[in-house]
Amino acid sequence: MKAYFSDRMGAALLMAPLLLFLGAAYAWPFFGVVNWSFTLPEPGLGQYGTLLSDPLVQSVFVRTLRIAAIVTIVSVAAAYAITVVWVRGTPAQRVVAEFCILVPFWISVLTRAFGWVALLSNRGLFNTWLQAIGFISEPLTLVRNEFGVIVGMTHFLIPFAVFPLASSMRGLDDRVLLAARGLGSSRMRTFWSVFVPMTRSGIIGSALIVFVFSLGFFVTPAILGGGRSVMIAELIYLRIFQSPDWGLGAAISVVLVLFVGALMALLFRYVRPKQLI
């Protein structure tokens, strides 16, 4: 028993510097933001009342949740297809899939956002090509709206969704798939009835990562949205640096952090933590 407590004390001492660093780097600034939300411009709950009554703030919250949900669905679906090729494809297919997964990490989010602007703008490559072949007469509006934001965010987040899926797929027992095939199941039925359900933990983990990242996205929506599809992170920036309305910006930040924390608590409540790895 004495040795047990000694080991626990040693572990606590080893963890203490990390906990102190996390507290100084994250917890203390966050409590400062919480304080702003209650004290600026005057003490009280006025800023939280504004969140409940201001149509602009409410519309931004709804838009953010809608875009995050769409991006999550599209990113996880695309990442699933890529991961299947990466994990279970031929050697050549695996090399190509791995190249497609890793190369985006070498390009900054800012460069990728402006790259999509060059592709999707009215005089961009995509519209120019469609007009050249006579498919359209007028350029399509593909940027400075939600469509452009969704495309740019999805492109950025697909690689992040791949890794939990790959971990889940690599942990599958191939004998289960062989047993399903041996019992007369077709390839398609084996995939949908056996393979996909067995990778549920990877799907949940990927969806969690993508959705949380989407809620706080700033650069891509600001560039591809062009100020017409403002999301929560951009609204916080506008309230803090341009209005300035520090109290309301702080209140929005606090609500966003609490929402993400509640989402993760629910997931860990109903899903075993090891399923998200």
Side-chain angles (χ1 to χ4, degrees):
M1 183 65 71
K2 187 175 181 180
Y4 172 77
F5 282 109
S6 178
D7 292 341
R8 293 293 295 272
M9 182 61 70
L13 290 175
L14 289 175
M15 291 291 294
L18 176 61
L19 295 176
L20 290 173
F21 171 77
L22 292 176
Y26 296 100
W28 183 256
F30 176 69
F31 287 132
V33 173
V34 174
N35 180 62
W36 288 352
S37 70
F38 286 106
T39 59
L40 298 176
E42 58 185 23
L45 298 173
Q47 299 298 348
Y48 291 95
T50 302
L51 293 181
L52 298 175
S53 60
D54 191 337
L56 173 62
V57 177
Q58 293 175 359
S59 66
V60 171
F61 270 95
V62 172
R63 182 185 301 115
T64 300
L65 293 175
R66 179 175 64 249
I67 291 176
I70 295 172
V71 169
T72 299
I73 294 171
V74 177
S75 296
V76 173
Y80 200 95
I82 294 171
T83 308
V84 169
V85 175
W86 188 30
V87 174
R88 310 191 69 85
T90 64
Q93 291 173 337
R94 293 180 184 181
V95 170
V96 173
E98 188 168 350
F99 182 81
C100 294
I101 293 167
L102 296 180
V103 166
F105 285 107
W106 304 341
I107 306 172
S108 72
V109 60
L110 190 63
T111 302
R112 279 189 266 183
F114 280 113
W116 279 112
V117 171
L119 287 172
L120 301 179
S121 64
N122 289 346
R123 296 184 178 181
L125 295 178
F126 189 70
N127 273 312
T128 301
W129 178 72
L130 290 178
Q131 288 179 299
I133 63 176
F135 192 78
I136 58 175
S137 58
E138 297 292 333
L140 301 175
T141 305
L142 302 176
V143 291
R144 296 183 177 85
N145 52 27
E146 288 190 16
F147 176 80
V149 173
I150 292 170
V151 169
M153 290 176 60
T154 300
H155 174 251
F156 181 84
L157 291 172
I158 284 176
F160 292 94
V162 165
F163 295 107
L165 291 169
S167 177
S168 179
M169 291 181 188
R170 289 195 175 104
L172 290 180
D173 189 346
D174 288 339
R175 293 174 296 181
V176 178
L177 303 178
L178 292 175
R181 294 285 292 152
L183 292 172
S185 176
S186 64
R187 289 182 178 272
M188 189 61 65
R189 185 174 182 183
T190 300
F191 177 78
W192 288 110
S193 300
V194 180
F195 188 84
V196 172
M198 291 179 68
T199 58
R200 180 174 65 93
S201 61
I203 296 173
I204 294 173
S206 294
L208 171 64
I209 292 172
V210 173
F211 189 77
V212 170
F213 277 12
S214 298
L215 290 176
F217 236 80
F218 174 72
V219 173
T220 301
I223 294 175
L224 293 175
R228 299 179 183 178
S229 297
V230 177
M231 295 180 65
I232 290 179
E234 188 176 357
L235 180 62
I236 294 172
Y237 171 82
L238 294 173
R239 293 298 181 181
I240 295 293
F241 293 102
Q242 293 190 10
S243 296
D245 191 351
W246 287 24
L248 183 57
I252 297 172
S253 302
V254 171
V255 171
L256 179 61
V257 171
L258 293 179
F259 177 78
V260 171
L263 176 65
M264 296 183 68
L266 285 174
L267 285 170
F268 278 98
R269 170 66 176 82
Y270 294 104
V271 181
R272 289 174 297 175
K274 67 180 181 179
Q275 289 182 316
L276 299 178
I277 301 174

